[in-house]
Amino acid sequence: MNPIHELRSRYDMAAQEDRSAPRTRILIPAQLRASGMRAFQTVVNDLSLSGFSATALTRMHPGSICWLTLPGLESLQAEVIWWQDSQCGCAFANLLSPIVHDNILARYRGDGVYRR
């Protein structure tokens, strides 16, 4: 199976299972890098176990692979699902662990301030 189709298929299955997972509005300064491009500064606007939305002034093409780097974490691979009006929505290649998700939310209480 084509890797992009496989990723989409996994996301579709995960989305059906985890779309009911809370999508938390939050402000997290981060870096986003589209495949083959340089990383740029962004702000993650919401986060769930299966994905995120972020500011992306540069057009992000649906179906392309990208990497999100949050402070204190390794880069997380994702697929761009949509891009509109300088915002993009992405699905993680692997669901976030609930522990990692909760840790991120505890560090950022919606104000973009990192707490250790």
Side-chain angles (χ1 to χ4, degrees), residues 12-21 95:
D12 290 344
M13 289 187 325
Q16 289 174 3
E17 294 171 8
D18 296 301
R19 256 341 234 183
S20 61
L95 296 177

Side-chain angles (χ1 to χ4, degrees), residues 40-72:
F40 58 88
Q41 296 297 314
T42 189
V43 174
V44 173
N45 300 308
D46 67 49
L47 182 70
S48 74
L49 296 174
S50 60
F52 64 95
S53 72
T55 303
L57 299 177
T58 303
R59 182 161 179 74
M60 304 283 286
H61 299 281
S64 63
I65 302 300
C66 63
W67 287 265
L68 177 69
T69 306
L70 298 167

Side-chain angles (χ1 to χ4, degrees), residues 44-114:
V44 173
N45 300 308
D46 67 49
L47 182 70
S48 74
L49 296 174
S50 60
F52 64 95
S53 72
T55 303
L57 299 177
T58 303
R59 182 161 179 74
M60 304 283 286
H61 299 281
S64 63
I65 302 300
C66 63
W67 287 265
L68 177 69
T69 306
L70 298 167
L73 293 177
E74 292 183 15
S75 294
L76 302 166
Q77 184 178 335
E79 177 187 358
V80 177
I81 303 300
W82 58 267
W83 183 89
Q84 183 178 350
D85 300 327
S86 300
Q87 299 290 316
C88 66
C90 302
F92 291 123
N94 297 302
L95 296 177
L96 277 182
S97 150
I99 294 169
V100 170
H101 178 264
D102 291 348
N103 189 7
I104 292 167
L105 296 182
R107 285 188 274 163
Y108 292 93
R109 295 189 182 121
D111 57 10
V113 177
Y114 178 73

